[in-house]
């Protein structure tokens, strides 16, 4: 049975690229912002990993991770930040609020796949 990835990014092109890239190995669900992602999670859906951008309308990726860690504390869903905002403060804040990994855009597909595979096996 394939594991489920939740991809959260406001850029449709990035979502489509990631959906296509991971579709062979994983069930992929994508949402345009943190609000949509939280709604989907609140319906009882339980992905094995969340990939999220930082800068998005409505609810950004860091707030999404905080909410996941607070509202779904009984689960340990790994959260991977994939962001063009690679400043050191974004990187450090991602880990402070509970992210399990950080990959800067632009990224190499193999690098992102390695990080996803690692988080799903550890």
């Amino acid at each position: 049975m394939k594991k489920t990835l939740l991809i959260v990014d406001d850029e449709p092109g990035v979502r489509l690229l990631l959906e296509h890239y991971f579709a062979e190995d994983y069930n992929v669900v994508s949402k345009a912002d943190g609000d949509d992602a939280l709604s989907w999670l609140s319906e009882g859906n339980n992905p094995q990993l969340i990939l999220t951008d930082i800068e998005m309308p409505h609810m950004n990726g860091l707030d999404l991770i905080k909410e996941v860690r607070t509202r779904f504390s009984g689960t340990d869903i790994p959260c991977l930040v994939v962001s063009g905002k690679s400043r050191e403060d974004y990187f450090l804040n991602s880990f402070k609020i509970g992210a399990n990994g950080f990959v800067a855009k632009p990224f190499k597909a193999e690098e992102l796949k390695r990080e996803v595979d690692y988080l799903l096996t550890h």
Side-chain angles (χ1 to χ4, degrees), residues 41 45-48 65-78:
L41 290 165
N45 296 297
N46 190 23
Q48 281 68 55
I65 294 170
K66 284 184 210 172
E67 286 293 318
V68 166
R69 295 294 180 241
T70 301
R71 292 170 61 180
F72 306 100
S73 60
T75 63
D76 190 24
I77 304 168

Side-chain angles (χ1 to χ4, degrees), residues 22 28 44 46 50 60 84-85 88 92-93 111 113 117 119:
F22 286 109
V28 181
N46 190 23
I50 299 172
N60 70 43
K85 303 293 184 188
E88 186 174 337
L92 294 174
N93 284 336
E111 172 192 5
K113 178 131 176 44
D117 291 344
L119 290 173

Side-chain angles (χ1 to χ4, degrees), residues 4 6 29 31 35-47:
T4 300
L6 173 58
V29 174
K31 301 296 176 186
D35 284 338
D36 289 345
L38 275 180
S39 293
W40 184 79
L41 290 165
S42 296
E43 292 169 359
N45 296 297
N46 190 23

Side-chain angles (χ1 to χ4, degrees), residues 3-111:
K3 294 182 178 183
T4 300
L5 303 182
L6 173 58
I7 296 169
V8 188
D9 198 301
D10 60 324
E11 294 291 329
V14 172
R15 286 196 312 272
L16 287 172
L17 174 74
L18 294 174
E19 287 171 16
H20 178 73
Y21 186 72
F22 286 109
E24 187 175 324
D25 298 320
Y26 302 101
N27 293 319
V28 181
V29 174
S30 66
K31 301 296 176 186
D33 62 48
D35 284 338
D36 289 345
L38 275 180
S39 293
W40 184 79
L41 290 165
S42 296
E43 292 169 359
N45 296 297
N46 190 23
Q48 281 68 55
L49 182 107
I50 299 172
L51 282 108
T52 185
D53 189 15
I54 292 179
E55 298 271 327
M56 295 180 290
H58 309 292
M59 179 185 290
N60 70 43
L62 298 181
D63 289 340
L64 170 62
I65 294 170
K66 284 184 210 172
E67 286 293 318
V68 166
R69 295 294 180 241
T70 301
R71 292 170 61 180
F72 306 100
S73 60
T75 63
D76 190 24
I77 304 168
C79 296
L80 176 60
V81 174
V82 181
S83 179
K85 303 293 184 188
S86 59
R87 293 190 346 228
E88 186 174 337
D89 59 331
Y90 281 107
F91 179 82
L92 294 174
N93 284 336
S94 296
F95 288 103
K96 284 180 184 175
I97 55 96
N100 301 89
F102 188 102
V103 175
K105 291 178 188 175
F107 54 83
K108 292 183 179 174
E110 302 81 25
E111 172 192 5

